[in-house]
């Protein structure tokens, strides 16, 4: 369990509790036969992502006409100078922290005392108030992007890791590993 908070999400930011729970059970250990070890595991957790420290700020900068000693002014007709400023950073004063909830489960199986290891894991995660960089039209401050909170983003997938020891003796050991991940 951890507490998280920051001033990037407002002047009255409070601490938020973020729990995490892991479970692992060794169902089979050092068994005779092809399956020598089986471990079942699952985890649930909530995490937070704070906006960057300057992502909320709307900053204004002075403009220089390029004339010596004439900063923060622009020439209208070559002789008349007027004060000028531009928006240097758009910022988003409505930013909130992102929250992610994840649940995963799977198992690790060892065959022939570790010569073949299979590890499938399925996961489900949901991000609320997801922080996404959104492009801004070139007519607004010359374009660029701004951070925004969007609705809910869900990710469901499966990860599969496998390794096999092809050769193992006193002078040579050769292990082949692979990893596959799919998202929906």
């Amino acid at each position: 369990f951890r507490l998280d908070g920051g001033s990037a999400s407002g002047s009255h930011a409070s601490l938020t509790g973020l729990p995490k729970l892991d479970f692992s059970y060794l169902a089979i250990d050092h068994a005779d036969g092809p399956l020598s070890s089986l471990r079942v595991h699952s985890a649930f957790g909530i995490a937070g992502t704070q906006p960057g420290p300057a992502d909320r700020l709307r900053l204004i900068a002075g403009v220089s006409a390029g004339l010596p000693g004439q900063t923060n002014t622009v020439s209208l007709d070559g002789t008349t100078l007027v004060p000028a400023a531009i928006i240097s950073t758009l910022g988003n004063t409505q930013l909130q922290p992102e929250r992610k909830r994840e649940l995963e489960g799977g198992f690790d199986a060892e065959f022939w005392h570790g010569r073949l290891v299979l590890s499938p894991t399925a996961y489900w995660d949901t991000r609320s108030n997801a922080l996404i960089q959104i492009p801004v039209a070139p007519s607004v401050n010359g374009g660029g992007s701004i951070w925004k909170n969007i609705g809910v983003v869900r990710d469901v997938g499966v990860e599969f890791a496998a390794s096999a020891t092809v050769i193992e003796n006193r002078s040579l050991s050769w292990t082949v590993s692979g990893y596959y991940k799919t998202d929906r």
Side-chain angles (χ1 to χ4, degrees), residues 10-181:
S11 58
H12 300 290
S14 60
L15 294 176
T16 302
L18 302 172
K20 179 181 177 186
L21 179 64
D22 293 315
F23 171 78
S24 177
Y25 178 70
L26 185 59
I28 299 172
D29 188 23
H30 300 296
D32 292 331
L35 181 62
S36 47
S37 174
L38 179 66
R39 178 182 307 272
V40 179
H41 59 84
S42 64
F44 171 77
I46 299 175
T49 301
Q50 293 286 337
D55 292 339
R56 294 176 49 88
L57 301 178
R58 291 185 177 162
L59 301 177
I60 297 175
V63 176
S64 175
L67 302 173
Q70 303 296 324
T71 57
N72 299 333
T73 60
V74 173
S75 173
L76 290 180
D77 56 9
T79 58
T80 308
L81 297 177
V82 294
I86 62 166
I87 299 172
S88 64
T89 304
L90 291 175
N92 181 353
T93 59
Q94 304 301 313
L95 281 181
Q96 298 293 321
E98 175 182 294
R99 292 288 175 252
K100 179 178 179 180
R101 295 171 189 253
E102 184 169 359
L103 174 65
E104 71 174 42
F107 64 89
D108 302 324
E110 286 189 12
F111 298 89
W112 300 286
H113 302 285
R115 293 192 62 96
L116 175 65
V117 179
L118 303 176
S119 301
T121 302
Y123 63 89
W124 303 264
D125 65 34
T126 303
R127 290 172 28 201
S128 57
N129 280 335
L131 290 167
I132 303 290
Q133 247 183 331
I134 305 294
V136 177
S139 60
V140 179
N141 193 37
S145 61
I146 187 171
W147 285 97
K148 286 194 168 200
N149 291 105
I150 63 168
V152 175
V153 177
R154 288 191 175 87
D155 188 17
V156 177
V158 175
E159 299 174 344
F160 185 76
S163 67
T165 303
V166 180
I167 299 172
E168 185 175 36
N169 59 40
R170 290 185 354 202
S171 60
L172 178 67
S173 178
W174 179 25
T175 302
V176 178
S177 299
Y179 177 80
Y180 176 75
K181 179 179 178 180

